[in-house]
Amino acid sequence: MSVTIKDVAEKAGVSPATVSRVIGSRGYVSDKNRRKIQAAIRELGYQPNVLARSMVTKSTCIIGLVVTDILNPFFAHLARGVEKVTWQEGFTLILANTDEDPDRETAVVRTLQAQQVDGLILVPSTSLPSPHLSELVDRKVPLVLVDRSVRNLAVDTVMVDNEHGAYQAVSYLVQKGHSQVGVILDNPEISTNIERLAGYRRALEEAGIPYREDLIRSCQYTEQSAHDIAAEMIARADPPSAIFTTNNFMTLGALNAIIERGMKIPEQIAIVGFDDLELPWMGPAQISTVRQPVHEMGNVAAQRLLARIRGDQSPALEIRLKTRFSTE
Amino acid sequence: MSVTIKDVAEKAGVSPATVSRVIGSRGYVSDKNRRKIQAAIRELGYQPNVLARSMVTKSTCIIGLVVTDILNPFFAHLARGVEKVTWQEGFTLILANTDEDPDRETAVVRTLQAQQVDGLILVPSTSLPSPHLSELVDRKVPLVLVDRSVRNLAVDTVMVDNEHGAYQAVSYLVQKGHSQVGVILDNPEISTNIERLAGYRRALEEAGIPYREDLIRSCQYTEQSAHDIAAEMIARADPPSAIFTTNNFMTLGALNAIIERGMKIPEQIAIVGFDDLELPWMGPAQISTVRQPVHEMGNVAAQRLLARIRGDQSPALEIRLKTRFSTE
DNA sequence: TTGAAAGCGCTAACAA
DNA sequence: TTGTTAGCGCTTTCAA
């Protein structure tokens, strides 16, 4: 059997309560006892059972981080950003994927709740109101949304200025003389895409360019699907002269479709992507991207959550970080 | 206060033990009571506290997964492979990064132990014996190593046939007429690199090509570092005609150095990498890679761990999955 | 400055 | 088929 606080107490000739005081560095303990206890801990290789501690303190120091897909470098970086501050503050992170599936999201959130996490940072898989998130709010489980928002859910949300970022990107294309700008986005239900599309529309409107429904195409959240849509788009009689993609994978898919067709970038078709795309090697291709401070988003979300866990009762905040448009 | 099993019991007019039987689907419960209890659970929105359960059952159904860097797509895929089977089996995953740092590895393992994880899957940051891992073995905490091994540690280890994979890759280069093959690897202390280097040597030996120390360069685990080493290597008077890189990031760094210098691949310099590199777009560059069944490695490691958790006492296994050499 | 006792929410004997 | 009891390992009053 593993060694418990009782074993340490016996070995040191004191009560468990005194050992507990030493472990938690709280209350008064005589130097003599402190030393004896520390020696006993070392000799026995004692490690406190945090489960038992959590039972009485009602705090697990565990935070759940729910992303849609850790394979997307964007979310991997986000996770690192969150991890950095939570680790520093002595919290453990449980990471879970939802695969952009609301049902899985529900299941994952339930599991995390059962684990008694102290709080949750979540990338919602839809912006539609979901009962499992309202439930969290009702139960006063600290929750911070990141990257995307959920309608009518009054919780802290950390996002970038999607509308403005897209506006900037599309304005750049317009300025370069493009009047037919295709858009490839995944799920049109998530807030980032809604906002980015709004930015796109505003850029066109401002330039007096009519909005063409047929240039907006949504697809599955896979590179393959984006590829197929892009291929179709550039193959038609009246193709766009530029494409705006709203995330990493869409950009890659579109890129491959363009390369396959043997078109030159940006001479024959321009492409601007959203997200901090780390293309390992872009070669001669010129791609401008709307860069997001993803690591910082993770930091900020984690700080917000910790503040809530520590009792911050202020009204829900919407925090917007700035994107940076970088032309290559 | 949150709702407990006692609340449910009161509402349903039974004892907590009966409610526990319903939740755990064990023991006898009359249909009438079962229905009453289920109704009470639903009405109260009761969720069992798994912490309390774990205290008595001595099992948390939590598995720790320790990788060196979740930003590396290789480990991200590995994590998904592990997650897939653990989730199916009702286990929760705690994911932690070590950043290739043995000290952090020690700290992370300690934290996970304190969380009372049922077992650990770990990518060791060094193949040198480490006390914190021996401690796990001593305490009979189920442990499975993945991707890399640790010397003199008798635990299940899931790897690929690194030696053979490297042998195949280098033999291919030799066959193409290359006799000066440079190698860029990161930490020469980790088992994968040791084995891959051995495969490299065997391929040369077999072809009667002398082994040149100066063609073997190790670097930091960053793309930048690999880039610098590669740049230096190809700039010298007597450059290699081919480069063998031992992981994702090394390949990318070398690739960039080659492109920068304006060299053509494979005409002026060939490159063969290890790892399942998902180059989004390789354009005209020809890169052959030793592909690893990374997702499956995760699956197998998870299965092994679950078997151990369920009491498998057989001697430690070394499992080797096959790599696949793919020329482009 | 210390210890005894109670109890966190749950499960597992055991008895009824 | 059900309830009573004890106890998992810890922290936290409270009294000494």
Side-chain angles (χ1 to χ4, degrees):
Chain A
M1 219 48 250
S2 77
V3 19
T4 73
I5 200 171
K6 224 174 132 193
D7 301 323
V8 176
E10 268 170 33
K11 177 142 193 142
V14 296
S15 75
T18 309
V19 177
S20 178
R21 288 186 188 102
V22 170
I23 296 166
S25 334
R26 78 185 91 76
Y28 301 99
V29 180
S30 70
D31 274 2
K32 201 183 103 218
N33 273 342
R34 182 187 312 280
R35 263 191 298 276
K36 271 205 284 192
I37 290 167
Q38 279 161 344
I41 287 175
R42 215 168 306 112
E43 280 174 54
L44 295 171
Y46 169 72
Q47 288 192 323
N49 180 330
V50 300
L51 254 49
R53 175 182 300 163
S54 297
M55 287 253 9
V56 13
T57 62
K58 304 278 176 211
S59 147
T60 54
C61 290
I62 296 181
I63 284 175
L65 172 61
V66 183
V67 300
T68 57
D69 179 17
I70 195 71
L71 293 183
N72 184 335
F74 177 82
F75 294 119
H77 276 97
L78 186 72
R80 290 306 296 257
V82 169
E83 188 202 31
K84 193 183 161 202
V85 349
T86 51
W87 172 266
Q88 277 172 357
E89 302 286 332
F91 283 74
T92 302
L93 210 58
I94 296 187
L95 192 132
N97 287 283
T98 61
D99 294 326
E100 301 278 356
D101 175 358
D103 290 340
R104 248 195 85 111
E105 183 178 301
T106 303
V108 158
V109 167
R110 289 262 147 73
T111 304
L112 259 19
Q113 258 186 286
Q115 299 285 351
Q116 312 295 120
V117 294
D118 283 352
L120 234 40
I121 296 178
L122 180 137
V123 178
S125 53
T126 170
S127 72
L128 301 174
S130 24
H132 61 279
L133 295 185
S134 318
E135 190 185 302
L136 287 176
V137 175
D138 292 346
R139 297 190 177 194
K140 309 230 182 296
V141 177
L143 169 66
V144 171
L145 301 183
V146 64
D147 185 46
R148 313 170 180 173
S149 62
V150 168
R151 277 206 271 280
N152 301 320
L153 194 68
V155 295
D156 292 338
T157 308
V158 180
M159 293 174 285
V160 298
D161 53 351
N162 291 297
E163 201 270 353
H164 179 72
Y167 168 80
Q168 242 184 326
V170 178
S171 293
Y172 168 82
L173 288 172
V174 167
Q175 199 184 309
K176 287 274 183 184
H178 297 282
S179 61
Q180 307 300 316
V181 181
V183 178
I184 297 179
L185 42 79
D186 60 318
N187 187 350
E189 269 312 340
I190 64 180
S191 69
T192 42
N193 286 331
I194 295 171
E195 294 172 358
R196 289 171 195 174
L197 198 55
Y200 166 87
R201 292 189 78 139
R202 182 158 66 92
L204 293 196
E205 261 166 38
E206 222 167 67
I209 298 171
Y211 176 81
R212 280 175 52 190
E213 281 288 355
D214 64 309
L215 283 178
I216 318 300
R217 298 293 308 274
S218 60
C219 62
Q220 298 302 305
Y221 174 73
T222 64
E223 194 183 319
Q224 185 59 46
S225 174
H227 165 277
D228 297 346
I229 296 285
E232 198 186 307
M233 202 179 245
I234 60 181
R236 56 193 197 196
D238 177 25
S241 66
I243 293 184
F244 172 52
T245 49
T246 64
N247 80 39
N248 274 347
F249 289 158
M250 307 302 105
T251 308
L252 290 178
L255 208 48
N256 278 323
I258 292 170
I259 307 286
E260 269 174 34
R261 208 176 160 78
M263 295 176 86
K264 285 228 178 320
I265 300 172
E267 294 83 359
Q268 294 176 280
I269 189 156
I271 177 162
V272 171
F274 215 103
D275 269 18
D276 228 302
L277 190 60
E278 288 176 84
L279 282 188
W281 170 52
M282 285 310 309
Q286 292 197 12
I287 297 203
S288 304
T289 51
V290 180
R291 296 191 174 277
Q292 306 186 62
V294 52
H295 200 267
E296 203 192 339
M297 273 173 83
N299 288 173
V300 172
Q303 279 156 3
R304 207 76 277 292
L305 186 67
L306 292 182
R308 292 294 178 188
I309 288 173
R310 285 163 184 160
D312 180 349
Q313 296 286 340
S314 54
L317 250 50
E318 179 183 295
I319 299 176
R320 293 277 183 179
L321 304 186
K322 291 212 183 322
T323 55
R324 192 167 55 78
F325 184 56
S326 82
T327 63
E328 307 251 328
Chain B
M1 218 46 251
S2 76
V3 19
T4 73
I5 200 170
K6 224 173 132 194
D7 301 324
V8 176
E10 268 170 33
K11 177 139 191 147
V14 296
S15 76
T18 309
V19 177
S20 179
R21 289 187 188 102
V22 170
I23 296 166
S25 334
R26 79 185 91 74
Y28 302 99
V29 179
S30 69
D31 274 2
K32 200 182 105 219
N33 273 342
R34 182 187 313 280
R35 263 191 297 277
K36 271 206 284 193
I37 290 167
Q38 279 162 344
I41 288 175
R42 213 167 308 112
E43 277 174 57
L44 295 170
Y46 167 72
Q47 287 191 322
N49 180 331
V50 301
L51 254 49
R53 175 183 299 162
S54 298
M55 287 247 21
V56 13
T57 61
K58 305 279 176 208
S59 147
T60 54
C61 290
I62 296 182
I63 284 175
L65 173 60
V66 183
V67 300
T68 57
D69 179 18
I70 195 70
L71 292 183
N72 184 334
F74 178 81
F75 294 119
H77 276 97
L78 186 71
R80 290 306 296 258
V82 169
E83 187 202 31
K84 194 183 161 203
V85 350
T86 51
W87 172 267
Q88 278 171 356
E89 301 287 331
F91 283 74
T92 302
L93 210 59
I94 296 188
L95 192 133
N97 286 282
T98 61
D99 294 326
E100 301 277 355
D101 175 357
D103 290 340
R104 247 193 86 110
E105 184 178 302
T106 304
V108 159
V109 167
R110 288 262 147 73
T111 304
L112 259 18
Q113 257 187 288
Q115 299 285 351
Q116 312 295 119
V117 295
D118 282 352
L120 233 41
I121 296 178
L122 181 138
V123 178
S125 53
T126 171
S127 71
L128 301 174
S130 23
H132 61 279
L133 295 186
S134 318
E135 190 184 304
L136 287 176
V137 176
D138 292 346
R139 297 189 178 196
K140 309 229 180 299
V141 177
L143 169 67
V144 172
L145 301 184
V146 65
D147 186 45
R148 314 171 179 172
S149 63
V150 167
R151 276 206 270 281
N152 301 321
L153 193 69
V155 296
D156 292 338
T157 308
V158 180
M159 291 174 286
V160 298
D161 53 350
N162 291 295
E163 202 271 353
H164 179 73
Y167 168 80
Q168 241 184 326
V170 178
S171 294
Y172 168 81
L173 288 172
V174 167
Q175 197 185 310
K176 287 274 184 185
H178 298 282
S179 60
Q180 307 299 319
V181 181
V183 177
I184 297 179
L185 41 79
D186 59 319
N187 188 350
E189 269 312 339
I190 64 180
S191 69
T192 41
N193 286 332
I194 295 170
E195 294 174 356
R196 289 170 196 176
L197 199 53
Y200 167 85
R201 292 190 78 139
R202 182 158 67 92
L204 293 195
E205 262 166 38
E206 221 167 68
I209 298 170
Y211 176 81
R212 283 176 50 191
E213 280 287 355
D214 64 308
L215 283 179
I216 317 300
R217 299 293 308 274
S218 60
C219 62
Q220 298 302 307
Y221 174 73
T222 64
E223 194 182 319
Q224 186 59 45
S225 173
H227 166 276
D228 297 347
I229 295 286
E232 199 186 306
M233 200 180 248
I234 60 183
R236 58 193 196 196
D238 178 25
S241 66
I243 292 184
F244 172 52
T245 48
T246 64
N247 80 39
N248 275 347
F249 288 159
M250 307 301 104
T251 309
L252 291 178
L255 208 49
N256 279 323
I258 292 170
I259 307 287
E260 269 173 35
R261 208 177 160 79
M263 294 176 87
K264 285 228 179 320
I265 300 172
E267 294 82 0
Q268 296 177 278
I269 188 155
I271 176 164
V272 170
F274 215 104
D275 270 17
D276 228 303
L277 191 61
E278 288 176 83
L279 282 188
W281 168 51
M282 285 309 310
Q286 290 196 14
I287 297 201
S288 304
T289 52
V290 181
R291 296 191 174 277
Q292 306 185 64
V294 52
H295 200 266
E296 204 192 339
M297 274 175 82
N299 288 173
V300 172
Q303 279 155 3
R304 206 77 277 291
L305 185 68
L306 292 181
R308 292 294 178 188
I309 288 173
R310 285 163 184 160
D312 180 347
Q313 296 286 340
S314 53
L317 250 50
E318 179 183 294
I319 299 175
R320 294 275 182 179
L321 303 186
K322 290 208 182 326
T323 56
R324 192 168 54 79
F325 183 57
S326 83
T327 63
E328 306 249 329

